[in-house]
Amino acid sequence: MNLMTALARLLIFPGLLFAVPAAWFFLWVERKAVALMQERIGPPFMQPFFDFVKLLAKNTPPRRGIGGMLMRAWPLIAVSGAAGAVGLLPVLPSSGGFEGDLILLLALLELPSMCIIAAGFSSRSIFGEIGSAREAALSVSYNIVFLLAILSVASSQHTFRLETLASMPDSPLRWLGIVAILVCLPAKLHINPFSLPNAEQEIYAGPMTEYAGPELAMWELAHGLEWVAGAGLVATLVAPHIGKGWLAAALFIALSLVMVLLLSTLAAATARLAIDTTVRFYWQCTLIFAVLAISSALFMRFRS
Amino acid sequence: MNLWKRLICTCRRRSPWLFHMNSGSCNGCDIELVAALSPRYDAEQLGVRLEGSPRHADIVCVTGPVTRNAVSAIKTVYGQVCHPKAVIAIGSCPATTNVFIDSRTLAGPLEKHIPVDVFVPGCPPRPDAIIQGVAKAAEILAERGMKPPDAESAPAVEEAQP
């Protein structure tokens, strides 16, 4: 991947120029799906955009010292991490990539959640600290399953290159991996039933409690970009390999939308679980599948 | 007014986030406020969202006749909401202290402590009236955002340290 392709992917498609409107659109779909399930009309189409601009134009409380600087930095790091993850997705055929970009993608996907943990502790609010502790516990539990699932898909193909993974032949192992990723996505996106870190009405807004104005706008954007990256990752793994550029892009958008609809319906239909139930769910129920997936992948690799 | 300012004005009008503050209310108005956000009245059509933290909010909805204990909390919360902000007094209690007038445990009405922009009278007011009040407050908010915070619209109140 040369510099021009990398910049085009980061800034135009599937990067910022596409991902920011897509993030707002997915945030709207999330709220609208909940509204429709409750037989309401719900927010207007432009609502996430209105919220974003309004928050940008709001004042922030004065923040002093190194803690204040950190509080300003975390949302920006989270946004850039999520935007970088979206930019790495192999949406267009033969759009470049490099050996090992899967590892970079996983690291960038993890960055917003790390920032949330740090943000809650640096805000020094008791609710922020509780939210961060929950996010840390959640992250430790779902990431094992998430990483094992992706590793199983990767090791069955003998590669850490995303483009090869996206164009791999159909196999039951791939679907096992995709299901495991799907199980982890609600926790990664902090939606019900795993909306523990930002549990509204329970610990106010969790790690985001002390954030206001433009900083909060950046957190909302980071959340939207996480939606794009998470749904997009599954979409690229699920999508059949198509040679035409625009068709591949349209299929990517359609599949991402289906993922978002699926996840927001799940969020609207479920209630929040307690932290111990969530941790137990990931460590006891889903870990078995992830271990099965990776062991069968390794087994197949040694046989071939 | 240039385009960017007009856009901000529209966005402020279309996205009022509320913070609900109970200052010793009998819970009647609180129930009606929650009802206004429920599926039947669906205030989310106006972009309304109930926020847990005053830092996120634009509009503070105060219910109750302002008891002595609540005064410092109201001032703190008002100070924690970032500019531009508006205050709605929901029900007759924060406006006039209602039937609790002359009680020695009260420090109301609300306007003695923080500036109020919209009064929604009623005991309790109907959810429709509350939604109308929120819409009116959102318009006030959009206009206020154009000016820098002055002493009259945002008096200095003690800021709680995070």
Side-chain angles (χ1 to χ4, degrees):
Chain A
M1 184 154 58
N2 60 20
L3 188 67
M4 285 309 285
T5 350
L7 274 181
R9 281 178 65 171
L10 186 63
L11 297 179
I12 300 169
F13 187 86
L16 286 174
L17 195 69
F18 161 76
V20 171
W24 288 329
F25 176 62
F26 287 170
L27 287 177
W28 174 75
V29 170
E30 184 192 0
R31 285 171 73 175
K32 186 80 176 176
V34 176
L36 288 181
M37 291 214 17
Q38 295 175 344
E39 296 190 344
R40 303 190 270 127
I41 294 174
F45 181 69
M46 299 282 279
Q47 192 58 52
F49 172 73
F50 290 147
D51 292 347
F52 183 78
V53 175
K54 178 206 74 176
L55 286 172
L56 274 190
K58 249 177 113 69
N59 286 6
T60 39
R63 303 198 195 287
R64 284 175 292 275
I66 196 91
M69 268 166 62
L70 282 175
M71 278 185 77
R72 286 179 202 283
W74 295 126
L76 291 175
I77 300 172
V79 166
S80 37
V86 176
L88 274 177
L89 291 176
V91 179
L92 299 176
S94 63
S95 57
F98 48 91
E99 189 58 50
D101 54 359
L102 177 68
I103 297 172
L104 181 60
L105 177 83
L106 292 178
L108 287 176
L109 270 180
E110 199 44 34
L111 204 55
S113 133
M114 291 289 161
C115 287
I116 288 174
I117 297 173
F121 283 117
S122 56
S123 75
R124 292 167 65 207
S125 143
I126 183 77
F127 306 107
E129 283 169 15
I130 295 174
S132 288
R134 284 181 175 190
E135 168 71 32
L138 194 63
S139 165
V140 167
S141 7
Y142 72 73
N143 262 329
I144 304 277
V145 182
F146 187 70
L147 292 179
L148 281 181
I150 290 190
L151 274 184
S152 72
V153 178
S155 67
S156 71
Q157 293 297 309
H158 301 240
T159 180
F160 277 117
R161 199 187 171 117
L162 273 167
E163 208 172 6
T164 324
L165 287 183
S167 59
M168 67 183 183
D170 216 358
S171 71
L173 193 64
R174 167 176 147 172
W175 289 104
L176 197 62
I178 288 168
V179 167
I181 295 171
L182 266 181
V183 169
C184 297
L185 269 188
K188 218 170 178 49
L189 297 169
H190 315 127
I191 54 173
N192 272 345
F194 307 118
S195 60
L196 293 146
N198 50 353
E200 66 274 15
Q201 277 102 46
E202 195 182 320
I203 47 170
Y204 298 130
M208 260 93 257
T209 304
E210 280 298 327
Y211 286 85
E215 297 156 358
L216 189 64
M218 287 301 143
W219 282 122
E220 294 271 319
L221 185 64
H223 183 224
L225 288 173
E226 272 189 294
W227 267 102
V228 181
L233 176 66
V234 180
T236 46
L237 288 179
V238 169
H241 199 55
I242 298 175
K244 279 202 181 77
W246 63 270
L247 205 62
L251 193 70
F252 167 76
I253 295 169
L255 280 172
S256 303
L257 185 60
V258 170
M259 291 302 146
V260 174
L261 276 176
L262 196 76
L263 290 174
S264 22
T265 314
L266 173 83
T270 50
R272 186 181 308 135
L273 294 173
I275 184 77
D276 52 338
T277 323
T278 310
V279 172
R280 208 176 299 132
F281 169 75
Y282 279 115
W283 280 100
Q284 290 184 352
C285 310
T286 51
L287 191 64
I288 293 173
F289 291 103
V291 170
L292 253 180
I294 189 129
S295 50
S296 53
L298 291 175
F299 180 67
M300 275 167 70
R301 189 171 168 177
F302 284 125
R303 270 189 58 190
S304 61
Chain B
M1 213 185 331
N2 60 30
L3 197 68
W4 173 243
K5 278 191 170 171
R6 227 165 36 205
L7 177 71
I8 291 174
C9 215
T10 313
C11 292
R12 284 206 178 107
R13 195 161 39 79
R14 301 287 297 266
S15 152
W17 289 6
L18 310 183
F19 180 76
H20 175 202
M21 169 101 209
N22 182 330
S23 68
S25 158
C26 70
N27 218 22
C29 298
D30 307 287
I31 289 172
E32 299 300 314
L33 177 65
V34 174
L37 300 160
S38 69
R40 187 176 176 86
Y41 293 94
D42 192 18
E44 206 184 4
Q45 285 178 49
L46 300 178
V48 173
R49 225 166 86 168
L50 192 64
E51 283 296 324
S53 164
R55 289 273 191 231
H56 302 183
D58 307 297
I59 298 173
V60 188
C61 298
V62 185
T63 56
V66 189
T67 56
R68 278 190 195 173
N69 275 346
V71 171
S72 65
I74 285 179
K75 285 186 174 169
T76 310
V77 165
Y78 184 78
Q80 281 175 338
V81 178
C82 299
H83 178 80
K85 54 190 162 188
V87 178
I88 308 180
I90 291 177
S92 302
C93 287
T96 62
T97 63
N98 207 4
V99 291
F100 307 106
I101 197 161
D102 290 339
S103 164
R104 61 191 171 173
T105 58
L106 290 189
L110 181 64
E111 231 181 350
K112 262 166 51 182
H113 307 290
I114 55 173
V116 180
D117 296 291
V118 179
F119 289 98
V120 184
C123 187
R126 288 188 61 81
D128 323 54
I130 295 176
I131 292 175
Q132 197 187 6
V134 170
K136 198 161 250 175
E139 271 169 25
I140 292 172
L141 196 69
E143 285 165 21
R144 179 168 298 157
M146 293 299 105
K147 290 177 265 173
D150 56 335
E152 196 186 335
S153 71
V157 282
E158 65 263 41
E159 173 92 5
Q161 284 301 313

